Amino acid sequence: MNVSSSKPSSTTPGAPLPSGDRPRTSTRRSVLRGLAATTAAGTAAACLPAGPAHAAPAGGRPRAASGTHALTLVHLGRDGAPTTAYRTLLTALSGPDAGGGREVKDSPATVTVRVPAGRYLLDSTISTGPVEDGSRGNDWLVRPRLDVDRDLTLVLDARAARPVDIRPPVADARFEQGGAFAEVTYEGVTGFANLMVMSPDLRVAHLGPAAERGAVRTWVDTYWRRPGGVCALGYAFRGERALTGLVRHPAPGDLATLVVRAGVPASGEGAARVDLSPSAGPSPALSLPVPPGGTGTFLFTAERGPWDLVYGAPAEPEGPFRGYFVLGRAFTPGSTTVHTFDAPVFGPALDSSPGARSVARRTGDTLELSVPLLADGDGHAPSAPLFTASTVTLHRDGAPFAVRRGEQPGHASFTLPPGRASYRLTASATRPRGSVTAAWTFTSAATATPTELPLSAVRFTPDLALDGTAPPHTATRVGVAVRGAALAAGVRSLAVSVSTDGGATWTPAPVTGGRIAVTTPAPGGTVSFRARLTDADGNTLTQTQLDAYVTRAAAGAPGAPAQ
């Protein structure tokens, strides 16, 4: 998105809020080979060849040593006076040090560095404050094109900056943090500059000539805390110049809404941590705590591009991070999307969308399996699922071939004979309550290239409370959906059965309109599912989910033990 006249710049800052500066970070190298800094007294008024501040040998102007030039930087604050409250970075985009960087700080207002000839990205942060409310103001000056071919003096004047005025359309939002970023590409080298702030008093300015067409990417992200939620307002641009000021006052209909519902896990205490951040480029994401059984809401700018959602579920002490990742999702303004995490029914989930990652494939004589066997009810696969036991067994032409135990559920690797054979692959996992088993049959032979195996899955989606319970003695309709190979190839047959006695007996449940009829048992009872599927190519699946969910003590009463 290019910066245009239809997106006005502001000349008045927004009202500052209590805040402090956050340490600035940079992804660039911290040392630029061959740069030596010296200080010079006085100031200069423009970018000009270096003047009297540099001693010249008798009979001529200063000579550049070994292809380097003197670059004098003069830092002026918002009041026009020299200031030492700055941090200036140079990133070499060409020349012998292309890709390297140098930071200048804790120096006098005027400082001289010797740099090799070449193209540079320069960015400088000049701080102001603290002001009456304790916050600090920041003026960020970005020069995406600095061609050093002679001795130069460059004035970095905070008065050139214009305010970043971004405001959410909700009155209960409080500014928390923000980030401004610039990326410049020149002759195959990319330089990066960034500023993180904890105060809304941010002003920005482009300095110097324009860079080449499309060479400059800039974006600004601001995060606002509100009761039970976060506002994430981000804007990205591409063109030849950095930003000089930015005004964005979105209306409610300009934003997308994401509602995150937290299930009640079977173990682990405390709130889940939820992060929503843009997929493209770094951003100072703001975590939102969501208690078990609670809800959090994000309001955010869909125009920023795809977003990444990370849900960190409560974990056992000393246990691994148990995260759910929903990455690269696009949204539309005015839309509302709901994600429920860590709630039943847990079972295998296969992504059938084009380009989805293969979870079972054969390459040569190697079979690799990474099926998310314990995805939650919404199909989110955890990075470290809760389980007490897991097994993967493989039969070849009806005879036992290999067994893997104790690994992450649905994960295994086998080395197979090259000839074509029929296989039965069974993956099972036991949870703190209930179990999941999926058995697939298919034929396979050695392959010259990675070849996906024709595995399928069946998803059951009852209407449950966040604690994973349903009311007892209630007639319900439960959604049934086919995923994986059978969705692409077609379903030859699908038979579903339901058990309310832990799998001791099973009752057929015909699938009609994508649903089955289920009558829940007495309080504290469980519902189990079994599916037998054959796809159009003859590959089969037998899937069993024992104690998939439980009925609560009474309608409207607190839930039974978590799933």
Side-chain angles (χ1 to χ4, degrees):
M1 183 182 346
N2 292 327
V3 180
S4 68
S5 59
S6 63
K7 297 175 182 178
S9 296
S10 173
T11 57
T12 57
L17 298 174
S19 183
D21 282 342
R22 182 177 183 176
R24 181 176 179 180
T25 61
S26 174
T27 60
R28 291 171 284 164
R29 303 174 196 171
S30 60
V31 178
L32 175 59
R33 301 186 307 275
L35 286 180
T38 60
T39 61
T43 62
C47 183
L48 301 169
H54 301 273
R61 55 180 286 138
R63 291 177 175 269
S66 304
T68 65
H69 299 285
L71 177 62
T72 299
L73 305 173
V74 182
H75 299 84
L76 304 180
R78 289 185 184 181
D79 59 1
T83 180
T84 59
Y86 67 83
R87 179 177 294 178
T88 299
L89 294 104
L90 284 165
T91 301
L93 301 177
S94 70
D97 298 300
R102 163 70 182 273
E103 179 182 81
V104 181
K105 65 176 182 176
D106 301 325
S107 299
T110 298
V111 62
T112 297
V113 294
R114 298 205 65 87
V115 298
R119 171 75 66 87
Y120 292 85
L121 160 66
L122 179 147
D123 76 286
S124 181
T125 302
I126 300 175
S127 298
T128 299
V131 295
E132 292 181 0
D133 62 6
S135 65
R136 297 181 64 88
N138 291 282
D139 297 300
W140 194 44
L141 312 177
V142 179
R143 181 163 177 151
R145 178 175 180 174
L146 175 58
D147 294 311
V148 177
D149 54 7
R150 64 192 187 281
D151 293 353
L152 297 173
T153 295
L154 181 63
V155 175
L156 304 174
D157 191 339
R159 292 172 297 179
R162 296 293 180 265
V164 172
D165 182 9
I166 298 175
R167 304 176 193 173
V170 286
D172 59 358
R174 176 177 58 85
F175 182 88
E176 189 81 13
Q177 61 193 36
F181 309 86
E183 183 183 273
V184 181
T185 301
Y186 178 70
E187 294 184 346
V189 176
T190 296
F192 181 76
N194 67 291
L195 172 67
M196 305 293 189
V197 296
M198 299 293 286
S199 165
D201 187 3
L202 170 63
R203 309 192 317 169
V204 297
H206 168 93
L207 299 182
E212 288 71 21
R213 183 176 182 180
V216 182
R217 294 179 60 219
T218 56
W219 57 99
V220 177
D221 295 327
T222 63
Y223 291 83
W224 307 70
R225 184 84 65 184
R226 58 193 302 258
V230 167
C231 291
L233 308 182
Y235 302 92
F237 309 90
R238 192 181 193 106
E240 297 75 48
R241 301 172 65 86
L243 293 176
T244 296
L246 179 66
V247 172
R248 291 294 184 271
H249 299 161
D254 297 329
L255 304 182
T257 300
L258 174 64
V259 178
V260 176
R261 304 168 73 234
V264 180
S267 66
E269 297 180 356
R273 307 294 297 188
V274 186
D275 291 292
L276 181 71
S277 61
S279 303
S283 184
L286 183 61
S287 291
L288 176 66
V290 181
T295 298
T297 302
F298 291 87
L299 302 177
F300 59 101
T301 47
E303 67 185 85
R304 179 63 169 82
W307 290 75
D308 294 339
L309 175 64
V310 180
Y311 181 96
E316 296 177 326
E318 308 301 326
F321 171 77
R322 190 159 54 90
Y324 294 89
F325 302 88
V326 182
L327 306 179
R329 297 297 177 90
F331 300 86
T332 57
S335 65
T336 297
T337 305
V338 179
H339 280 275
T340 302
F341 291 93
D342 230 19
V345 168
F346 294 93
L350 306 181
D351 188 351
S352 306
S353 60
R357 181 180 66 89
S358 173
V359 297
R361 65 181 182 179
R362 180 167 180 170
T363 306
D365 294 336
T366 301
L367 187 157
E368 295 176 301
L369 184 70
S370 58
V371 173
L373 195 63
L374 296 178
D376 67 14
D378 263 13
H380 307 118
S383 60
L386 292 173
F387 70 100
T388 57
S390 71
T391 304
V392 177
T393 61
L394 185 65
H395 287 71
R396 185 175 189 271
D397 286 336
F401 182 81
V403 180
R404 303 285 186 267
R405 290 188 174 89
E407 300 180 20
Q408 180 162 310
H411 287 62
S413 178
F414 302 94
T415 300
L416 309 178
R420 176 169 291 275
S422 62
Y423 289 91
R424 179 179 178 85
L425 178 65
T426 303
S428 63
T430 302
R431 286 178 42 80
R433 178 164 191 164
S435 64
V436 176
T437 300
W440 300 275
T441 66
F442 53 89
T443 60
S444 177
T447 62
T449 59
T451 302
E452 187 169 1
L453 298 177
L455 305 192
S456 300
V458 177
R459 300 290 300 171
F460 296 96
T461 54
D463 185 12
L464 303 176
L466 283 174
D467 62 0
T469 66
H473 302 302
T474 303
T476 63
R477 299 280 291 170
V478 174
V480 179
V482 173
R483 296 289 183 261
L487 186 62
V491 176
R492 180 183 299 174
S493 63
L494 173 62
V496 174
S497 300
V498 176
S499 173
T500 56
D501 56 10
T505 59
W506 295 90
T507 300
V511 180
T512 304
R515 293 183 176 274
I516 59 173
V518 175
T519 299
T520 55
T526 65
V527 176
S528 302
F529 298 109
R530 175 172 290 168
R532 301 181 188 275
L533 178 148
T534 303
D535 71 17
D537 297 324
N539 308 298
T540 71
L541 162 71
T542 300
Q543 178 180 310
T544 304
Q545 289 155 275
L546 294 179
D547 299 337
Y549 62 95
V550 66
T551 55
R552 49 185 173 264
Q563 298 294 290

